[in-house]
Amino acid sequence: QVQLVESGGGVVQPGGSLRLSCAASGFTFSSYGMHWVRQAPGKGLEWVAFIRYDGSNKYYADSVKGRFTISRDNSKNTLYLQMNSLRAEDTAVYYCAKVPGVYGDNDAFDIWGQGTMVTVSS
Amino acid sequence: EIVMTQSPATLSVSPGERATLSCRASQSVSSNLAWYQQKPGQAPRLLIYGASTRATGIPARFSGSGSGTEFTLTISSLQSEDFAVYYCQQYNNWPQTFGQGTKLEIK
């Protein structure tokens, strides 16, 4: 079945770096745009970043622009989020999610991973 | 950035009754509006996209309506498993934005 599994979360000091991964299975990963969405403890959802199915286009939330980089390896069916210069306010559960339509861009999220927790603390 | 505002923040409804949740956009998002359900400790689940189209496997008691700036999610007869937090999301413009959520609780 269609599945997304995040990994790479953990505890990191302010100013540090972390790379999240999202392993996809059960669908043709290379045909779908992918997102990262985060949720701070007890708070709502915040969209973080999007990458087009072929990696040719990327969008970022202003809160992470210049610090986070979204990428993908279609040969490995894996999505990444490189997070640098981390701040306390980046503490959240990070979800990867796919768009429903083949080659789709700006769209809803039909499948979500279970999330990985990132804690930024000294 | 388009601001999405949901109301009410908390809605108390008895099982079997109807629940109506609202979402307002600060500017038109056409019909590019989705609704998600989230239960504690779980990832969100897509309920409605295109403002009114139910996602795969979503029961018919969930319905969405609206366009432009005003949207509604209606749950016609609440089941115990429907008590959760609901989020609206616009995907008409970048950055995509979510409402702050409506918590649907048992009365």
Side-chain angles (χ1 to χ4, degrees), chain A residues 22-101:
Chain A
C22 169
S25 59
F27 66 101
T28 306
F29 179 72
S30 59
S31 296
Y32 291 86
M34 297 292 298
H35 294 264
W36 286 101
V37 179
R38 68 185 180 183
Q39 186 170 36
K43 302 298 184 182
L45 301 168
E46 180 188 14
W47 172 78
V48 173
F50 169 80
I51 186 168
R52 214 160 177 251
Y53 67 97
D54 58 358
S56 62
N57 226 359
K58 304 174 185 180
Y59 297 94
Y60 297 94
D62 285 346
S63 58
V64 306
K65 202 174 292 182
R67 299 187 300 123
F68 290 12
T69 301
I70 189 171
S71 63
R72 63 192 299 158
D73 186 336
N74 285 344
S75 68
K76 295 182 178 179
N77 292 340
T78 303
L79 174 73
Y80 302 102
L81 186 68
Q82 178 67 43
M83 305 186 295
N84 298 331
S85 303
L86 282 161
R87 307 166 179 167
E89 54 265 35
D90 296 318
T91 294
V93 174
Y94 285 74
Y95 297 99
C96 60
K98 66 175 281 293
V99 302

Side-chain angles (χ1 to χ4, degrees), chain B residues 69-89:
Chain B
T69 62
E70 300 285 342
F71 301 89
T72 300
L73 174 70
T74 301
I75 311 171
S76 60
S77 178
L78 281 164
Q79 307 296 303
S80 57
E81 61 267 28
D82 299 336
F83 293 95
V85 178
Y86 292 82
Y87 295 95
C88 63
Q89 173 217 13

Side-chain angles (χ1 to χ4, degrees), chain A residues 1 10 20 36 43 80 92 112 121:
Chain A
Q1 77 279 21
L20 305 182
W36 286 101
K43 302 298 184 182
Y80 302 102
W112 298 61
S121 173

